[in-house]
Amino acid sequence: MLRVKVTWPNAGHALLPESGADVRLVVGGTPLPLASTSSGVREFDIPDGTARVVLKATFTASFGAVGSVGAMSHPVLQVEQPYDVVAGGTMLEAANIPAFVKSHPLVDTKVMANVNGAALVQIRTEFVNITPFWMAYAAFASEYVVDHQPGDPELVALGYTGGKPLIWFATVPAACAAPPSPGVGCLVFFRPQSYAYARVDEPHHDMFGLNRYLLKPVDDLHADVWRRDVFRPDPSDGNRPYVWLRAGFEDALSRSGKPVVILHPWPSGSDFGAATGASLPALAGGALRLLWAEQRLGKNRGAIQLGRLGVAGYSAGGLSMWAALASNTRRVSEVYAFDARGAPSSAGAAIQWFNSRNDTVLRMTGGYQLTANEGIRISIEKFARGPVSRVTATPPNRKAYDAGSNPLWDHVITAYPHLRGRVDFWHQFAVFGGYIAVPGPFAVTFLQRFLQDSLF
């Protein structure tokens, strides 16, 4: 008789409650009885003479009422893996699944050491899909649904069960469905400080902030001020200029044509937890593994894994971006610093990282960081004794914000030309870089340009 032990990490987490863990071994359509059970563990005995078994696992999270949202239950992870029973009934051999050209990417199987007739099966539950919960609990989720356009990249909310940050977002473009190689690129974006949160099941007030980065502006002069691509008077704030432009990341990613997933680790306050540490590549790889398992990327492709890794940061999010780079200098290959704080103090480390390999790419935009960015670029090109296409500082100096120098900046300040020289307004333009709401030929935003010129 073959004893099979099925385990999963982080059992008992709010997203992986024992009551919601339905883990079975099925023979001929009939579940086998449990031989033993404990938190995160299910054991089964496979009868002699059995030729095939199927592991079927569904993990369901359930929460009570949250504000005006009633109690909810949703599966956050579902796995099915068939096995052949081989070696005279003493071993399991995972069967290939056509969608993955191998066994299931979230299931690891091995023979237990020093134990005859025993197998250990581990289900990878570090990341789970919490999209239904997020869309119910997050303010401004309905605005995302309205303004997200057909053909735009898919947004998936991920729950991380191994620590902080608890919530991550993945932006998955159509180009990832059939990537040209098994290595899928990943760009991790660090935003400035957000609201503090401790659970998935609480009101989330800042999907507005997520919309600001992901959605493109709308071509409607009468639209809400925060949906536009120009600074507009804000009636709710004494008609002072509203300066938070929509940055259009989804559109930029789609138009770049690059098979890159953008990950947004969602900080609690300014705490990005493990996202800034040495485990970032493993975390990014885990998120991609879940997306592959759900066939949101690498459809009917095998051996999908993390390929080229980049980090990006805007404003105060730059402090976390530079920290993530410092923790992963050998693994990070692309850095996009959108007027990122910490540029002066991180300049030496950034230059050393860039010069350490010939496949590094550094793109910087400037408002407050114009001088620091240009200093980094000049230092790199002095070392190389000539221009280096893999590094850019955009714009190069303050003159780029003068009238007539940049029609995109002129467009953004149409209603407030007297604010042309204000660095705090440049700071908002630095994460955007172009208007994309107007009809006709589309301007290329900073992110689209960086992706198009990348080595992803």
Side-chain angles (χ1 to χ4, degrees), residues 19 23 63 70 94 129 192 244 255 275 311 322 359 389 392 402 409-410:
S19 60
V23 179
F63 299 117
N129 189 329
W244 288 275
R255 289 179 179 278
V311 294
W322 296 121
D359 70 334
S389 63
T392 49
D402 289 348
W409 172 241
D410 292 344

Side-chain angles (χ1 to χ4, degrees), residues 92-233:
L92 288 183
E93 184 177 88
N96 283 349
I97 299 173
F100 311 117
V101 200
K102 61 174 292 251
S103 59
H104 198 287
L106 296 181
V107 179
D108 297 328
T109 308
K110 62 182 179 180
V111 175
M112 294 180 68
N114 302 319
V115 179
N116 292 324
L120 176 63
V121 176
Q122 184 179 59
I123 304 171
R124 305 295 298 268
T125 55
E126 294 91 343
F127 280 97
V128 296
N129 189 329
I130 61 169
T131 305
F133 294 111
W134 172 263
M135 297 303 287
Y137 300 148
F140 291 92
S142 59
E143 181 178 279
Y144 179 85
V145 172
V146 169
D147 287 350
H148 178 83
Q149 300 298 310
D152 283 348
E154 181 180 17
L155 177 66
V156 184
L158 306 178
Y160 175 50
T161 65
K164 296 180 179 178
L166 172 59
I167 299 174
W168 297 58
F169 299 97
T171 302
V172 187
C176 284
S181 69
V184 174
C186 188
L187 179 67
V188 183
F189 175 71
F190 295 91
R191 56 158 293 158
Q193 179 172 333
S194 184
Y195 63 96
Y197 70 96
R199 306 185 312 276
V200 168
D201 58 322
E202 65 176 79
H204 290 276
H205 305 292
D206 204 18
M207 187 160 182
F208 166 78
L210 186 63
N211 292 348
R212 181 266 173 104
Y213 296 108
L214 294 183
L215 295 174
K216 67 180 181 181
V218 298
D219 181 25
D220 181 358
L221 294 176
H222 303 291
D224 298 317
V225 291
W226 59 81
R227 297 170 67 201
R228 294 286 293 128
D229 58 359
V230 295
F231 300 144
R232 301 288 296 171

